[in-house]
Amino acid sequence: MWKKRISALVLLVLAYGVAHFAYINKESYRLGLDLSGGTHLVFNADTSNLAPSEIDDAMTSLANVVEKRVNLFGVSEPIVQVETGGVIGQTDHRLIVELPGVTDVKQAVDLIGRTPVLDFRLVKPGADKLTDAEKAKATYDDIFVQTGLTGRYLSHANLEFDQTTYAPRIAITFNDEGAKLFGDITKANIGKPLAIFLDGEPISTPVIQTEITSGNAVINGTFTVDEARSLVRDLNLGALPVPISLASTQTVGATLGKGALDASVFAGIIAFIAVGIFLIFWYRISGIVATIALAIYVALNLALFKLIPVTLTAAGIAGFVLTLGMAVDANILIFERMKEELRRGLDLPAAIKEGFHRAWLSIRDSNLSSIITAVILYYFASTPVIKGFALVFGLGVVVSMFTAITASRTLLIAVGAKGNSKFARFFFSSGISHN
C-alpha cells in the first residue's frame, strides 16, 4: 500500500511541476489572430501560367518567400499557409497570411506584396541625338533598351557607404549566369551609360569604364539609409514566384482579441468548477479523485500547448473546454462499473480493480473513435481555425485517457479503501443510493 501512496505522491508532485510550468510565462502561449488581434489577409495566386505539376512547388516557394518577408519585420508568430479550393473543374490557390499585432492593413499589404523589379538598361542608339523637346515627350522605353540583366540574376545585396561622401549605396553580386551576362554587357559597351532601373524608374546611370567580369556592382543613388536598407532587404528576398492579388482583409483589434481571450478563459474556469462540483456531489470520494485527475488533465494540456506549441484560437479553446466534460466520461464509466461490482458483493479493493478492468475496453473504443474523428477533421480541414480545433480536441482525448486511467487509478488505490461496510460503500458509491 505504501508503494501505491508513494506513487500517488510522486504523481501529485510531478503534476504540480507541470502546472507550474504551464502557469509561468503565460505570454509564451501562442495565440491566434482572434485572441491576440492583428490582420488576416487572403491573397489569390495567379497560377494560370504554370503547368499543373509546377503549382504545388510554386505555392510552397511563394509561402516561404512571404514568410521570410514577414519575419524580417519582426511580426510575432505569423501564420503563412497555402489554401486550395474551388468548384469542380476549377481550382483556386490562395495564400493565407495572419499577422498578430499588425492592425494596419496597408502596412501589412505593403509588407507582403512589394516585389522590387531591378533591371539594367542601355541607351538606345540615336537617343542621345534627341532634342530637348523630343526628350520631354519621350518615355523611358523610347530612350532605353533592356539588356536582359535583371534582379533575377542576383546572388545577394549588401548595404555599403561611400568612403568619400558617406552616402549609402547598395553592393550587389550576381550569380554565375548574371556575372557572365554583366561581363558581356560591360565588355561591349565601354564608355556608354548603363542605367539601373528599380520598379521602372531610373535610380542611377553610371558610365561603363571597363569590362567587369567579377559579377560585382554598386548601385549609387539619392538613398536615405532606411531606403537603402529596405531596398537591400527586398532585393535579397527576390521576386514572388507567383503573382498574387489581395482578395480580402480582416482586422481584429487588440482589445476585441483580449476580450475574447478573457471570456474563453472564464468559460474554462466555470466549466472546471461546475464539473468538479458535480463529481464531488455525485461520486463523493471518487469524485474528489476524479476532480484531482481533471486538474492534472488541465495542467498537462496547457503544458503541451506551450511545448508543441499549439496556436490557440477561440475555436481551439472551445474545443478544450468541451474536452473538460469529455475527460471525466471515462471516470464516470469506471465509477458506475465499480458500483455494479459493489452490488455484486465485492469488497472495495476488488470493486475498484474490476471497475477499471471492465470499463477499459469501452473507454478505449470510445476514445479511439474520437481520435479518428479528430485526425480526419485535422487532415481535411481547409482553415486554420478548424485545424486548431481538431488538434486541441485530439490532444485532449489522448491526455484524458492517461489521466482517467492511470492518474485516477493511482490516486484511488492510494486512498486505501478497505472492507465492505455501509460507511465505506456509501463514500465510494454514487448518487443518493448507498451502494
Side-chain angles (χ1 to χ4, degrees), residues 368-382:
L368 188 59
S369 63
S370 297
I371 292 171
I372 292 173
T373 303
V375 170
I376 293 174
L377 185 62
Y378 182 87
Y379 184 78
F380 287 102
S382 59

Side-chain angles (χ1 to χ4, degrees), residues 253-332:
T255 302
L256 184 62
K258 186 177 184 306
L261 177 61
D262 292 343
S264 300
V265 173
F266 181 73
I269 292 173
I270 294 298
F272 179 87
I273 293 174
V275 172
I277 290 175
F278 166 74
L279 288 172
I280 295 172
F281 171 75
W282 200 253
Y283 291 100
R284 300 184 268 277
I285 292 179
S286 298
I288 295 174
V289 169
T291 303
I292 296 173
L294 186 62
I296 296 174
Y297 166 82
V298 172
L300 277 176
N301 269 285
L302 293 178
L304 287 174
F305 293 162
K306 185 182 285 189
L307 284 174
I308 291 177
V310 175
T311 300
L312 292 172
T313 63
I317 293 181
F320 177 56
V321 173
L322 175 65
T323 61
L324 284 177
M326 295 181 63
V328 297
D329 281 355
N331 285 121
I332 291 174

Side-chain angles (χ1 to χ4, degrees), residues 45-66 80-82 93-95 239-244:
D46 181 6
T47 58
S48 57
N49 294 325
L50 298 177
S53 60
E54 299 174 338
I55 292 178
D56 287 345
D57 288 342
M59 292 301 296
T60 301
S61 177
L62 173 66
N64 291 335
V65 171
V66 170
V80 180
Q81 56 187 356
V82 174
H93 300 276
R94 292 182 290 271
L95 189 72
L240 296 177
V242 178
I244 58 174

Side-chain angles (χ1 to χ4, degrees), residues 204-407:
S204 180
T205 312
V207 176
I208 301 173
Q209 303 293 335
T210 183
E211 176 186 1
I212 302 175
T213 57
S214 64
N216 297 317
V218 174
I219 302 175
N220 291 299
T222 55
F223 305 115
T224 65
V225 174
D226 287 339
E227 289 172 342
R229 185 179 292 118
S230 176
L231 180 56
V232 166
R233 179 200 62 219
D234 293 338
L235 290 175
N236 280 328
L237 290 177
L240 296 177
V242 178
I244 58 174
S245 59
L246 184 63
S248 67
T249 64
Q250 180 183 2
T251 302
V252 180
T255 302
L256 184 62
K258 186 177 184 306
L261 177 61
D262 292 343
S264 300
V265 173
F266 181 73
I269 292 173
I270 294 298
F272 179 87
I273 293 174
V275 172
I277 290 175
F278 166 74
L279 288 172
I280 295 172
F281 171 75
W282 200 253
Y283 291 100
R284 300 184 268 277
I285 292 179
S286 298
I288 295 174
V289 169
T291 303
I292 296 173
L294 186 62
I296 296 174
Y297 166 82
V298 172
L300 277 176
N301 269 285
L302 293 178
L304 287 174
F305 293 162
K306 185 182 285 189
L307 284 174
I308 291 177
V310 175
T311 300
L312 292 172
T313 63
I317 293 181
F320 177 56
V321 173
L322 175 65
T323 61
L324 284 177
M326 295 181 63
V328 297
D329 281 355
N331 285 121
I332 291 174
L333 192 59
I334 293 166
F335 298 156
E336 291 299 324
R337 296 298 302 187
M338 283 171 51
K339 189 168 69 174
E340 292 180 5
E341 299 304 326
L342 288 172
R343 284 175 176 169
R344 288 178 53 212
L346 296 181
D347 60 8
L348 276 172
I352 292 173
K353 181 179 178 181
E354 283 300 308
F356 277 92
H357 176 70
R358 294 169 69 89
W360 162 242
L361 291 179
S362 299
I363 295 170
R364 182 198 64 187
D365 295 346
S366 172
N367 284 279
L368 188 59
S369 63
S370 297
I371 292 171
I372 292 173
T373 303
V375 170
I376 293 174
L377 185 62
Y378 182 87
Y379 184 78
F380 287 102
S382 59
T383 66
V385 173
I386 303 300
K387 282 184 180 289
F389 175 87
L391 178 60
V392 171
F393 179 74
L395 281 175
V397 174
V398 173
V399 174
S400 72
M401 291 181 70
F402 167 76
T403 55
I405 301 298
T406 304

